[in-house]
Amino acid sequence: MLELKQLAALAAVIEEQSFDKAARRLFITQSAVSQRLKQLEDRLGQTLVIRTSPIQATEAGRQAMKHYRQVMMLQNELLHDLSPQEDKGFAHISIGINADSLQTWFIDAVSPLLLEHQLLLDLKVDDQEQTHHLLRTGEVMGCITSSPEPMQGCSCIPLGVMPYRCLASPDYIQRFFPDGVSAEAFRYAPVAEFNNKDELQNRYLKTFFGIEASEYPRHRIPSSDPYFQMVIRGFACGMIPDQQSKAQLKQGIVQDLTPGRYMAVPLYWHVWNLKSATIKLLTEQLINTCQQQLDSIANHPELIHPQPIRR
Amino acid sequence: MLELKQLAALAAVIEEQSFDKAARRLFITQSAVSQRLKQLEDRLGQTLVIRTSPIQATEAGRQAMKHYRQVMMLQNELLHDLSPQEDKGFAHISIGINADSLQTWFIDAVSPLLLEHQLLLDLKVDDQEQTHHLLRTGEVMGCITSSPEPMQGCSCIPLGVMPYRCLASPDYIQRFFPDGVSAEAFRYAPVAEFNNKDELQNRYLKTFFGIEASEYPRHRIPSSDPYFQMVIRGFACGMIPDQQSKAQLKQGIVQDLTPGRYMAVPLYWHVWNLKSATIKLLTEQLINTCQQQLDSIANHPELIHPQPIRR
C-alpha cells in the first residue's frame, strides 16, 4: 500500500514546482517534504521528479500524481457523503477548457452545482493539446476540446457544435469592403486571431476565398471578450461563436460577412472513467446545458473530419 | 554586416519552433532555412538554436532575434514614411500585457492609433515574469506590468494605479456573511482567484483579516470577464479593479465587502529605448488614457513597496 501523505508531498512538489513552496503549503519542513518524496521513490523504485529549477515530474511521477488525485477525489466524496449536512466541506473539480466555452456557456452549465454541491472550480484555459496533456497527467479530471480522440482511462462524450461566423461592424465593412467581400479586399482588411495557434480565421479564408495565412493582415488578441470588442469597435473582422454574438448580431452592432459560410466546431467532454458522483452530476449538467445552448452535431455533416480548435 | 534574410530565418525558426513551419512561412525550402541559419551561426561564431523538438533558442539566438525585430521595426517605419499615402502598409506592434488591463482600458488607449496609423496588435497575455521575459528576448517591444524594475535597453514609465476591491453580490453576502464580514466567515466563503499565481486575494485577506492562503475555499477562473461573472452571479467574492466594476457597483449588482480597504496595483509601461515614431505615439496614447482611466500614484502612499501582479 502507498502512503497518501507521501503522494501528497509528490503532488505538492509537482504543482508548486518547488520544495520550499510545497513545504509551506503542507505546513511541514522542506526536509520532511524531501524525505516523504524519497520514501515514495524508494517504494516505487522510480525517480518521480527531476530536481531542477523549476522541478519537473518524470512520467512515473505524473502517473503517481494522477493516481493520488483520483484517490483524493473518491475520498472527498466519501467524507462528504458521511458528514452531517451542516458540516459538508467543499469539493474541488479541475477542468481544462477552451477560452470561448468559458466565455459563453460553461458557467451556465455548472451554476446549478456550485452552491448546492459546494463545488470549487479549478479551471485551466489553454489550447486542446495542452488540456489533453493535463488530463493525461491527472492535473485535470476532465477537459472540453474539439478533439474526439479517445484518451486512456477516460470517456469521450460529444456535447454539440459551436458555429463560428466571420463577423464585422457596419463601419468596418463600409471601410474595407465597399465593393463587397472578396479575396482581393481581404489583403488590406485586418483580421483578428486569438493567438498564433488559432487557425479558425485561416481555415475560413482558405476554404471560402482560397487565401493563405501569409496574405492577410492580422491582430492577435488572446482573450475572448477583448477579441470580440475589437470586432465590435470596427478594428477587425474575426470568427465569433454564435453563443457569444447573438445579442450584437440581432441589434446590428455586428454583421455576418458571408451569410451561410461558417466554420462548425464540435466540442467533446473527456472525463476520467471513475465511479464518482461528482463526475456523474457534472457530466449530466454539461450535456443538458449544451443540448440547449449548442447546435446538434447531426445538423453539421461537414464535421466528418473535424480539425482542432485552439481557443 | 549581418544579412537580414539570415536573421529572418532565425526569427522564423524560433517563433514557429520548427524548421518546416519556418520554411512554409518564408516560402523557401527547409534546406534553405537550415543553410541561412548555419551561415548566421558561422558568422557569429555561436550556436543560435538548439535543434530539439520543439526548437529552442540559445541566449545568443535570443539576442540576435531581438536585434532583428528592432531593425525590422525601424525599417518598416522608414518604408511607411517613404511610401505614397494610398500604399502605406501595416505596422506590427507586439506587447506583453496583464489580463485585467486588456479587459479594461487597453483597447481604449490604442483605439485612436489602430486605423489612422494602420497598426496591427500582437498581444501576449501572461503574468509579469513571463512578459518581462518576452521583453528581454525581444518577442515584445513593450510590456505593461506592476513591476517598476528597470530592464536593460528599456524605459520604464509609470501609468497609474488600478485599485482592486473585494466585491460580491448581495445574495452572496447574505448567504456567507449574514453576521458581517469576519475572518471566521471567510473559512466557508468561496473566493475567486485568477490562477495559482494570482496573489491579490491572498494579500488582501492576510492584510486585513490575518488569513493564510490555506484557510479559505477558492475557485480558479483564469479569464477576466468570466471571473467577474462568477462574482456577479454570487458564486464567489473576488478582487476586481474599479475600471471593470464601475457600472455594476453603481447598479448594486455587486457591493464592496470592506469599503475603504483595497489593494492598489501600480502599472508601468516598459518599452524599448528606440527612436521610433510608433513607440513614441503609442507611449503618449498609453499615458493619456491612463491619466483619465487609472488613479494617480500620488494618491496611494502605501505603494512604496509594491508587489507583483500576476493577472
Side-chain angles (χ1 to χ4, degrees), chain A residues 15 27 90 92 102-103 107-108 111 114-115 119-125 175-176 187-188 190 196 214 217-223 225-226 229-230 233-235, chain B residues 15 27 90 92 102-103 107-108 111 114-115 119-125 175-176 187-188 190 196 214 217-223 225-226 229-230 233-235:
Chain A
E15 283 165 19
F27 295 104
F90 288 93
H92 290 260
L102 174 56
Q103 180 69 42
I107 296 180
D108 285 341
S111 282
L114 293 180
L115 294 175
L119 294 187
L120 294 173
L121 297 175
D122 186 1
L123 303 183
K124 322 258 184 191
V125 175
R175 183 189 304 261
F176 293 106
R187 288 184 51 200
Y188 306 98
N196 63 354
S214 55
R218 74 203 69 191
H219 294 283
R220 284 178 175 159
I221 312 292
S223 183
D225 184 55
Q229 288 302 324
M230 287 286 286
R233 295 185 187 207
F235 298 127
Chain B
E15 283 165 19
F27 295 105
F90 288 93
H92 290 260
L102 174 56
Q103 179 70 42
I107 295 179
D108 285 343
S111 283
L114 293 181
L115 294 175
L119 295 187
L120 294 173
L121 297 175
D122 186 1
L123 303 183
K124 322 257 185 192
V125 175
R175 182 189 305 259
F176 293 106
R187 287 184 51 200
Y188 306 97
N196 63 354
S214 55
R218 75 203 67 191
H219 294 283
R220 283 177 175 159
I221 313 291
S223 183
D225 184 56
Q229 289 302 325
M230 286 286 287
R233 296 185 187 207
F235 298 128

Coordinates of all heavy atoms in Angstrom, one line a residue, chain A residues 15 27 90 92 102-103 107-108 111 114-115 119-125 175-176 187-188 190 196 214 217-223 225-226 229-230 233-235, chain B residues 15 27 90 92 102-103 107-108 111 114-115 119-125 175-176 187-188 190 196 214 217-223 225-226 229-230 233-235:
Chain A
E15 N 3.0 20.4 -8.3 CA 2.2 21.5 -8.6 C 2.8 22.9 -8.3 O 2.7 23.8 -9.0 CB 0.9 21.4 -7.7 CG -0.1 20.4 -8.3 CD -1.2 20.0 -7.4 OE1 -1.4 20.8 -6.4 OE2 -1.8 19.0 -7.6
F27 N 2.4 22.8 5.4 CA 2.7 23.1 6.8 C 3.7 22.1 7.4 O 3.6 21.7 8.6 CB 1.5 23.2 7.7 CG 0.6 24.3 7.3 CD1 -0.6 24.0 6.6 CD2 0.8 25.6 7.6 CE1 -1.5 25.0 6.2 CE2 0.0 26.6 7.2 CZ -1.2 26.3 6.5
F90 N -16.0 21.5 1.0 CA -16.0 21.8 -0.4 C -15.3 20.7 -1.2 O -14.4 20.1 -0.7 CB -15.3 23.2 -0.7 CG -16.1 24.4 -0.2 CD1 -15.9 24.9 1.0 CD2 -17.0 25.0 -1.1 CE1 -16.6 26.0 1.5 CE2 -17.7 26.1 -0.7 CZ -17.5 26.6 0.6
H92 N -13.3 20.0 -4.8 CA -12.6 20.6 -5.9 C -12.8 19.9 -7.2 O -12.6 18.7 -7.3 CB -11.1 20.7 -5.7 CG -10.7 21.7 -4.6 ND1 -10.3 22.9 -4.8 CD2 -10.8 21.5 -3.2 CE1 -10.1 23.5 -3.6 NE2 -10.4 22.7 -2.7
L102 N -15.5 28.8 -22.0 CA -15.6 29.5 -20.7 C -16.3 30.8 -20.8 O -17.1 31.2 -20.0 CB -14.2 29.7 -20.1 CG -14.1 30.5 -18.8 CD1 -15.0 29.9 -17.7 CD2 -12.6 30.7 -18.3
Q103 N -16.1 31.6 -21.9 CA -16.7 32.9 -22.1 C -18.2 32.8 -22.3 O -18.9 33.7 -21.9 CB -16.0 33.6 -23.2 CG -16.6 35.0 -23.5 CD -16.2 36.0 -22.5 OE1 -15.1 36.0 -22.0 NE2 -17.2 36.8 -22.1
I107 N -20.2 28.6 -17.5 CA -20.7 29.0 -16.2 C -22.2 28.7 -16.0 O -22.6 28.2 -15.0 CB -20.3 30.4 -15.9 CG1 -18.8 30.6 -15.8 CG2 -20.9 30.9 -14.5 CD1 -18.3 32.0 -15.5
D108 N -22.9 28.9 -17.1 CA -24.3 28.5 -17.0 C -24.5 27.0 -16.7 O -25.3 26.6 -15.9 CB -25.0 28.7 -18.4 CG -25.3 30.1 -18.7 OD1 -25.3 30.9 -17.7 OD2 -25.5 30.5 -19.9
S111 N -23.4 26.3 -13.0 CA -24.1 27.1 -12.0 C -24.9 26.3 -11.0 O -24.8 26.5 -9.8 CB -25.0 28.2 -12.6 OG -24.2 29.2 -13.1
L114 N -22.7 24.6 -8.2 CA -21.7 25.2 -7.4 C -22.1 25.4 -5.9 O -21.4 25.0 -5.0 CB -21.3 26.6 -8.0 CG -20.6 26.5 -9.4 CD1 -20.2 27.9 -9.9 CD2 -19.3 25.6 -9.3
L115 N -23.3 26.0 -5.7 CA -23.7 26.2 -4.3 C -24.2 25.0 -3.7 O -23.9 24.6 -2.6 CB -24.7 27.4 -4.3 CG -24.1 28.8 -4.7 CD1 -25.2 29.8 -4.7 CD2 -23.0 29.2 -3.7
L119 N -19.2 22.9 -4.8 CA -18.0 22.6 -5.7 C -17.2 23.9 -5.9 O -17.7 25.0 -6.0 CB -18.5 22.2 -7.1 CG -19.3 20.8 -7.2 CD1 -19.5 20.5 -8.6 CD2 -18.5 19.7 -6.5
L120 N -15.9 23.7 -5.9 CA -14.9 24.7 -6.2 C -14.3 24.4 -7.6 O -13.8 23.3 -7.7 CB -13.9 24.9 -5.1 CG -14.4 25.3 -3.8 CD1 -13.3 25.2 -2.7 CD2 -14.9 26.7 -3.8
L121 N -14.3 25.4 -8.5 CA -13.8 25.2 -9.8 C -12.3 25.5 -9.8 O -11.9 26.5 -9.3 CB -14.5 26.1 -10.8 CG -15.9 25.9 -11.0 CD1 -16.5 27.0 -12.0 CD2 -16.2 24.5 -11.6
D122 N -11.5 24.6 -10.5 CA -10.1 25.0 -10.8 C -10.0 24.8 -12.3 O -9.7 23.7 -12.8 CB -9.2 24.0 -10.0 CG -7.7 24.4 -10.2 OD1 -7.4 25.5 -10.8 OD2 -6.9 23.7 -9.6
L123 N -10.1 25.9 -13.0 CA -10.1 25.9 -14.5 C -8.7 26.2 -15.0 O -8.0 27.1 -14.5 CB -11.1 26.9 -15.0 CG -12.6 26.7 -14.5 CD1 -13.5 27.7 -15.2 CD2 -13.1 25.3 -14.8
K124 N -8.4 25.5 -16.1 CA -7.2 25.8 -16.8 C -7.6 26.0 -18.3 O -8.2 25.2 -18.9 CB -6.2 24.6 -16.8 CG -6.2 23.8 -15.5 CD -4.9 24.1 -14.7 CE -4.9 23.2 -13.5 NZ -3.9 23.6 -12.5
V125 N -7.3 27.2 -18.7 CA -7.7 27.6 -20.1 C -6.5 27.5 -21.0 O -5.4 28.2 -20.7 CB -8.2 29.1 -20.1 CG1 -8.5 29.5 -21.5 CG2 -9.5 29.2 -19.3
R175 N -15.7 50.4 -44.7 CA -14.3 50.9 -44.9 C -13.5 49.9 -45.8 O -12.8 50.3 -46.7 CB -13.6 51.1 -43.6 CG -12.2 51.6 -43.7 CD -11.5 51.6 -42.3 NE -12.3 52.3 -41.3 CZ -12.0 53.5 -40.9 NH1 -11.0 54.2 -41.4 NH2 -12.7 54.1 -40.0
F176 N -13.6 48.6 -45.4 CA -12.7 47.6 -46.1 C -13.3 46.8 -47.2 O -12.6 46.3 -48.0 CB -12.1 46.7 -45.0 CG -11.2 47.4 -44.0 CD1 -11.6 47.7 -42.7 CD2 -9.9 47.8 -44.4 CE1 -10.7 48.3 -41.8 CE2 -9.1 48.5 -43.6 CZ -9.5 48.7 -42.3
R187 N -6.8 41.3 -48.5 CA -5.4 41.6 -48.3 C -5.2 42.9 -47.5 O -4.0 43.1 -47.0 CB -4.8 41.8 -49.7 CG -4.6 40.4 -50.4 CD -3.9 40.6 -51.8 NE -2.6 41.3 -51.6 CZ -2.0 41.9 -52.6 NH1 -2.5 41.9 -53.8 NH2 -0.8 42.5 -52.4
Y188 N -6.2 43.8 -47.4 CA -6.0 45.1 -46.7 C -6.9 45.2 -45.5 O -6.9 46.2 -44.9 CB -6.3 46.2 -47.7 CG -5.5 46.1 -49.0 CD1 -6.0 45.5 -50.1 CD2 -4.1 46.5 -49.0 CE1 -5.2 45.4 -51.3 CE2 -3.4 46.4 -50.1 CZ -3.9 45.8 -51.3 OH -3.1 45.7 -52.4
P190 N -7.9 44.1 -41.8 CA -7.3 43.4 -40.6 C -8.3 42.4 -40.1 O -9.5 42.6 -39.9 CB -7.2 44.6 -39.6 CG -7.2 45.8 -40.4 CD -8.0 45.6 -41.6
N196 N -1.2 32.7 -32.0 CA -0.6 32.1 -33.2 C -1.0 30.6 -33.4 O -0.7 30.1 -34.4 CB 0.9 32.3 -33.2 CG 1.5 31.5 -32.0 OD1 0.8 31.0 -31.1 ND2 2.9 31.5 -32.0
S214 N -0.4 33.8 -45.0 CA 0.5 34.9 -45.1 C 0.0 36.1 -45.9 O 0.6 37.2 -45.9 CB 1.8 34.4 -45.9 OG 1.4 33.9 -47.1
P217 N -3.6 40.8 -43.2 CA -3.1 41.5 -42.0 C -3.9 41.0 -40.8 O -5.1 40.8 -40.9 CB -3.3 43.0 -42.3 CG -4.4 43.0 -43.3 CD -4.4 41.8 -44.1
R218 N -3.2 40.8 -39.7 CA -3.9 40.2 -38.5 C -3.5 40.9 -37.2 O -2.3 41.2 -37.0 CB -3.6 38.7 -38.5 CG -2.2 38.4 -38.0 CD -1.8 37.0 -38.4 NE -1.6 37.0 -39.9 CZ -1.5 35.9 -40.6 NH1 -1.5 34.8 -40.1 NH2 -1.3 36.0 -41.9
H219 N -4.5 41.0 -36.4 CA -4.2 41.3 -34.9 C -4.2 40.0 -34.2 O -4.9 39.1 -34.6 CB -5.4 42.2 -34.4 CG -5.5 43.5 -34.9 ND1 -4.7 44.6 -34.6 CD2 -6.4 44.1 -35.8 CE1 -5.1 45.7 -35.2 NE2 -6.1 45.4 -36.0
R220 N -3.5 40.0 -33.0 CA -3.7 38.8 -32.1 C -4.1 39.3 -30.7 O -3.3 40.0 -30.1 CB -2.3 38.0 -32.1 CG -2.2 37.2 -33.4 CD -0.9 36.5 -33.5 NE -0.9 35.7 -34.7 CZ 0.2 35.2 -35.3 NH1 1.3 35.4 -34.7 NH2 0.1 34.5 -36.3
I221 N -5.3 38.9 -30.3 CA -5.9 39.4 -29.1 C -6.3 38.1 -28.3 O -7.4 37.6 -28.5 CB -7.2 40.2 -29.4 CG1 -6.9 41.2 -30.5 CG2 -7.7 40.8 -28.2 CD1 -6.0 42.3 -30.2
P222 N -5.4 37.6 -27.4 CA -5.7 36.3 -26.8 C -6.6 36.4 -25.6 O -6.2 35.9 -24.5 CB -4.3 35.9 -26.4 CG -3.5 37.2 -26.1 CD -4.2 38.2 -27.0
S223 N -7.8 36.9 -25.7 CA -8.8 36.9 -24.6 C -10.1 37.1 -25.3 O -10.3 38.0 -26.1 CB -8.4 38.0 -23.6 OG -9.3 38.0 -22.5
D225 N -13.3 38.1 -24.6 CA -14.2 39.3 -24.6 C -13.4 40.5 -25.3 O -14.0 41.1 -26.2 CB -14.6 39.7 -23.2 CG -15.5 40.8 -23.2 OD1 -16.5 40.8 -23.8 OD2 -15.2 41.8 -22.5
P226 N -12.2 40.8 -25.0 CA -11.5 41.8 -25.7 C -11.4 41.5 -27.2 O -11.4 42.5 -28.1 CB -10.1 41.9 -25.1 CG -10.3 41.4 -23.7 CD -11.4 40.4 -23.8
Q229 N -14.5 42.7 -28.6 CA -14.5 44.1 -28.5 C -13.8 44.7 -29.7 O -14.3 45.7 -30.3 CB -13.9 44.6 -27.3 CG -14.7 44.4 -26.0 CD -16.0 45.0 -26.0 OE1 -16.2 46.1 -26.6 NE2 -17.0 44.4 -25.5
M230 N -12.7 44.1 -30.2 CA -12.0 44.6 -31.3 C -12.9 44.6 -32.6 O -12.8 45.4 -33.5 CB -10.7 43.8 -31.6 CG -9.6 44.1 -30.6 SD -8.8 45.6 -30.8 CE -7.8 45.3 -32.3
R233 N -15.8 47.2 -32.3 CA -15.3 48.6 -32.5 C -14.8 48.9 -33.9 O -14.4 49.9 -34.2 CB -14.2 48.9 -31.5 CG -14.7 48.9 -30.0 CD -13.6 49.3 -29.1 NE -13.9 49.2 -27.8 CZ -13.3 49.9 -26.8 NH1 -12.5 50.9 -27.1 NH2 -13.6 49.8 -25.5
G234 N -14.9 47.8 -34.7 CA -14.6 48.1 -36.1 C -13.1 48.1 -36.5 O -12.7 48.5 -37.5
F235 N -12.3 47.4 -35.6 CA -10.8 47.4 -35.9 C -10.5 46.1 -36.7 O -9.4 46.0 -37.2 CB -10.0 47.5 -34.6 CG -10.2 48.8 -33.9 CD1 -10.6 48.8 -32.6 CD2 -10.1 50.0 -34.6 CE1 -10.8 50.0 -31.9 CE2 -10.3 51.2 -33.9 CZ -10.6 51.2 -32.6
Chain B
E15 N 10.3 31.5 -33.7 CA 8.9 31.8 -33.5 C 8.0 30.6 -33.8 O 7.1 30.3 -33.1 CB 8.4 33.0 -34.3 CG 8.9 34.3 -33.7 CD 8.8 35.4 -34.7 OE1 8.0 35.3 -35.7 OE2 9.4 36.4 -34.5
F27 N 8.2 30.9 -47.5 CA 8.1 30.5 -48.9 C 9.5 30.0 -49.4 O 9.8 30.4 -50.6 CB 7.5 31.6 -49.8 CG 6.1 31.9 -49.4 CD1 5.8 33.0 -48.7 CD2 5.1 31.0 -49.7 CE1 4.5 33.3 -48.3 CE2 3.8 31.3 -49.4 CZ 3.5 32.4 -48.7
F90 N 0.8 47.9 -43.2 CA 0.5 47.8 -41.8 C 1.8 47.7 -41.0 O 2.8 47.2 -41.5 CB -0.3 46.6 -41.5 CG -1.7 46.7 -42.0 CD1 -2.1 46.2 -43.3 CD2 -2.7 47.3 -41.2 CE1 -3.4 46.4 -43.7 CE2 -4.0 47.4 -41.7 CZ -4.4 46.9 -42.9
H92 N 3.4 46.2 -37.3 CA 3.0 45.3 -36.2 C 3.6 45.9 -34.9 O 4.7 46.3 -34.9 CB 3.6 43.9 -36.5 CG 3.0 43.2 -37.6 ND1 2.0 42.2 -37.4 CD2 3.1 43.3 -38.9 CE1 1.6 41.8 -38.6 NE2 2.2 42.4 -39.5
L102 N -5.9 44.4 -20.3 CA -6.5 44.2 -21.7 C -8.1 44.2 -21.6 O -8.7 44.8 -22.4 CB -6.1 42.8 -22.2 CG -6.8 42.3 -23.5 CD1 -6.6 43.4 -24.6 CD2 -6.2 41.0 -23.9
Q103 N -8.6 43.7 -20.5 CA -10.1 43.7 -20.3 C -10.6 45.0 -20.1 O -11.8 45.3 -20.5 CB -10.4 42.8 -19.1 CG -11.9 42.6 -18.9 CD -12.7 41.9 -19.9 OE1 -12.2 40.8 -20.4 NE2 -13.8 42.3 -20.3
I107 N -7.7 48.7 -24.9 CA -8.3 48.9 -26.2 C -8.6 50.4 -26.4 O -8.4 50.9 -27.5 CB -9.4 47.9 -26.6 CG1 -8.9 46.5 -26.6 CG2 -10.0 48.2 -27.9 CD1 -9.9 45.4 -26.8
D108 N -9.2 51.0 -25.4 CA -9.5 52.4 -25.4 C -8.2 53.2 -25.7 O -8.2 54.1 -26.5 CB -10.0 52.9 -24.1 CG -11.4 52.6 -23.8 OD1 -12.1 52.2 -24.8 OD2 -11.9 52.6 -22.7
S111 N -7.1 52.5 -29.4 CA -8.1 52.8 -30.5 C -7.7 53.9 -31.5 O -7.8 53.6 -32.7 CB -9.4 53.1 -29.8 OG -10.0 52.0 -29.3
L114 N -5.1 52.6 -34.2 CA -5.2 51.4 -35.0 C -5.5 51.7 -36.4 O -4.8 51.2 -37.3 CB -6.2 50.5 -34.4 CG -5.9 49.9 -33.0 CD1 -7.0 48.9 -32.5 CD2 -4.5 49.2 -33.1
L115 N -6.6 52.5 -36.7 CA -6.9 52.7 -38.1 C -6.0 53.8 -38.7 O -5.5 53.6 -39.8 CB -8.4 53.1 -38.2 CG -9.4 52.0 -37.8 CD1 -10.8 52.4 -37.8 CD2 -9.2 50.7 -38.7
L119 N -1.9 50.2 -37.5 CA -1.2 49.3 -36.6 C -1.9 48.0 -36.4 O -3.2 47.9 -36.3 CB -1.0 49.9 -35.2 CG -0.2 51.2 -35.1 CD1 0.0 51.6 -33.7 CD2 1.2 51.0 -35.8
L120 N -1.2 46.9 -36.3 CA -1.7 45.6 -36.0 C -1.1 45.2 -34.7 O 0.1 45.2 -34.5 CB -1.3 44.6 -37.1 CG -1.9 44.8 -38.5 CD1 -1.3 43.8 -39.5 CD2 -3.4 44.7 -38.5
L121 N -2.0 44.8 -33.8 CA -1.6 44.4 -32.4 C -1.3 42.9 -32.4 O -2.0 42.1 -32.9 CB -2.8 44.6 -31.4 CG -3.3 46.0 -31.2 CD1 -4.5 46.0 -30.3 CD2 -2.2 46.9 -30.6
D122 N -0.2 42.6 -31.7 CA 0.2 41.2 -31.4 C 0.3 41.1 -29.9 O 1.4 41.5 -29.4 CB 1.4 40.8 -32.1 CG 1.7 39.3 -32.0 OD1 1.0 38.6 -31.3 OD2 2.8 38.9 -32.5
L123 N -0.7 40.8 -29.2 CA -0.7 40.8 -27.7 C -0.4 39.5 -27.1 O -0.8 38.5 -27.6 CB -2.1 41.3 -27.2 CG -2.6 42.6 -27.7 CD1 -3.9 43.0 -27.1 CD2 -1.6 43.7 -27.4
K124 N 0.4 39.5 -26.1 CA 0.7 38.3 -25.3 C 0.2 38.6 -23.9 O 0.7 39.5 -23.2 CB 2.2 38.0 -25.2 CG 2.9 38.2 -26.5 CD 3.2 37.0 -27.3 CE 4.0 37.4 -28.6 NZ 4.1 36.3 -29.5
V125 N -0.7 37.8 -23.4 CA -1.3 38.0 -22.1 C -0.7 36.9 -21.1 O -0.8 35.7 -21.4 CB -2.8 37.8 -22.1 CG1 -3.4 37.9 -20.6 CG2 -3.5 38.9 -22.9
R175 N -25.7 35.2 2.1 CA -25.5 33.7 2.4 C -24.3 33.5 3.2 O -24.4 32.7 4.2 CB -25.4 33.0 1.0 CG -25.2 31.5 1.1 CD -24.9 30.9 -0.2 NE -25.8 31.2 -1.3 CZ -26.8 30.4 -1.7 NH1 -26.9 29.2 -1.2 NH2 -27.6 30.8 -2.6
F176 N -23.2 34.1 2.9 CA -21.9 33.7 3.6 C -21.5 34.7 4.7 O -20.7 34.3 5.5 CB -20.8 33.6 2.6 CG -21.0 32.5 1.6 CD1 -21.4 32.7 0.3 CD2 -20.8 31.2 2.0 CE1 -21.5 31.7 -0.6 CE2 -21.0 30.1 1.2 CZ -21.4 30.4 -0.2
R187 N -13.7 31.4 6.2 CA -13.3 30.0 6.1 C -14.3 29.2 5.3 O -14.0 28.1 4.8 CB -13.2 29.3 7.5 CG -11.9 29.8 8.2 CD -11.8 29.1 9.5 NE -11.8 27.7 9.4 CZ -12.1 26.8 10.4 NH1 -12.3 27.3 11.6 NH2 -12.2 25.5 10.2
Y188 N -15.6 29.7 5.1 CA -16.6 28.9 4.4 C -17.1 29.7 3.2 O -18.0 29.2 2.5 CB -17.8 28.7 5.4 CG -17.4 28.0 6.6 CD1 -17.1 28.8 7.8 CD2 -17.1 26.6 6.7 CE1 -16.7 28.2 9.0 CE2 -16.7 26.0 7.8 CZ -16.5 26.8 9.0 OH -16.0 26.2 10.1
P190 N -16.5 31.0 -0.5 CA -15.6 30.8 -1.7 C -15.1 32.1 -2.2 O -15.9 33.1 -2.4 CB -16.6 30.1 -2.7 CG -17.7 29.5 -1.9 CD -17.9 30.5 -0.8
N196 N -3.1 30.0 -10.1 CA -2.4 29.8 -8.9 C -1.2 30.8 -8.7 O -0.6 30.8 -7.6 CB -1.8 28.3 -8.9 CG -0.9 28.1 -10.0 OD1 -0.7 28.9 -10.9 ND2 -0.2 26.9 -10.0
S214 N -4.0 29.0 2.9 CA -4.6 27.7 3.0 C -6.0 27.6 3.7 O -6.6 26.6 3.8 CB -3.6 26.8 3.8 OG -3.4 27.4 5.1
P217 N -11.7 28.6 1.0 CA -12.0 27.9 -0.2 C -11.9 28.8 -1.4 O -12.3 29.9 -1.4 CB -13.4 27.4 0.0 CG -14.0 28.4 1.0 CD -12.9 28.9 1.9
R218 N -11.4 28.2 -2.5 CA -11.2 29.1 -3.7 C -11.6 28.4 -5.0 O -11.4 27.2 -5.2 CB -9.7 29.5 -3.7 CG -8.8 28.4 -4.2 CD -7.4 28.7 -3.7 NE -7.3 28.6 -2.3 CZ -6.3 28.9 -1.5 NH1 -5.3 29.4 -2.1 NH2 -6.3 28.8 -0.2
H219 N -12.1 29.3 -5.9 CA -12.3 28.9 -7.3 C -11.1 29.5 -8.1 O -10.5 30.5 -7.6 CB -13.5 29.5 -7.9 CG -14.8 29.0 -7.3 ND1 -15.3 27.8 -7.7 CD2 -15.7 29.6 -6.5 CE1 -16.5 27.7 -7.1 NE2 -16.7 28.7 -6.3
R220 N -10.7 28.9 -9.2 CA -9.7 29.5 -10.1 C -10.3 29.6 -11.5 O -10.6 28.6 -12.1 CB -8.4 28.6 -10.1 CG -7.7 28.9 -8.8 CD -6.4 28.1 -8.7 NE -5.7 28.5 -7.5 CZ -4.8 27.7 -6.8 NH1 -4.5 26.6 -7.3 NH2 -4.2 28.2 -5.8
I221 N -10.4 30.9 -11.9 CA -11.1 31.2 -13.1 C -10.2 32.1 -14.0 O -10.2 33.3 -13.8 CB -12.5 31.9 -12.9 CG1 -13.3 31.3 -11.7 CG2 -13.3 32.1 -14.1 CD1 -13.8 29.9 -12.1
P222 N -9.4 31.5 -14.8 CA -8.3 32.3 -15.4 C -8.7 33.1 -16.7 O -8.1 33.0 -17.7 CB -7.3 31.2 -15.8 CG -8.1 30.0 -16.0 CD -9.3 30.1 -15.2
S223 N -9.7 33.9 -16.6 CA -10.1 34.8 -17.7 C -10.9 36.0 -17.0 O -11.8 35.7 -16.2 CB -11.0 34.0 -18.7 OG -11.3 34.8 -19.8
D225 N -13.3 38.3 -17.8 CA -14.7 38.5 -17.8 C -15.5 37.4 -17.1 O -16.3 37.6 -16.2 CB -15.2 38.7 -19.2 CG -16.7 39.0 -19.3 OD1 -17.1 40.0 -18.6 OD2 -17.4 38.3 -20.0
P226 N -15.2 36.1 -17.4 CA -15.8 35.0 -16.7 C -15.5 35.1 -15.1 O -16.4 34.7 -14.3 CB -15.2 33.7 -17.3 CG -14.8 34.2 -18.7 CD -14.4 35.6 -18.6
Q229 N -18.0 37.4 -13.9 CA -19.3 36.8 -13.9 C -19.5 35.9 -12.7 O -20.6 35.8 -12.2 CB -19.4 35.9 -15.2 CG -19.5 36.7 -16.5 CD -20.7 37.7 -16.5 OE1 -21.8 37.3 -15.9 NE2 -20.5 38.8 -17.1
M230 N -18.5 35.2 -12.3 CA -18.6 34.3 -11.1 C -19.0 35.1 -9.9 O -19.7 34.7 -9.0 CB -17.3 33.5 -10.9 CG -17.1 32.4 -11.8 SD -18.1 31.0 -11.5 CE -17.3 30.3 -10.0
R233 N -22.7 36.5 -10.3 CA -23.7 35.5 -10.1 C -23.7 35.0 -8.7 O -24.5 34.1 -8.4 CB -23.5 34.4 -11.0 CG -23.6 34.8 -12.5 CD -23.5 33.6 -13.4 NE -23.5 33.9 -14.8 CZ -23.9 33.1 -15.7 NH1 -24.4 31.9 -15.4 NH2 -23.8 33.4 -17.0
G234 N -22.9 35.5 -7.8 CA -23.0 35.1 -6.4 C -22.3 33.8 -6.0 O -22.6 33.3 -5.0
F235 N -21.3 33.3 -6.9 CA -20.6 32.1 -6.5 C -19.4 32.3 -5.8 O -18.8 31.4 -5.2 CB -20.3 31.3 -7.8 CG -21.6 30.9 -8.5 CD1 -21.7 31.2 -9.9 CD2 -22.6 30.2 -7.9 CE1 -22.9 30.8 -10.6 CE2 -23.8 29.9 -8.5 CZ -23.9 30.2 -9.9

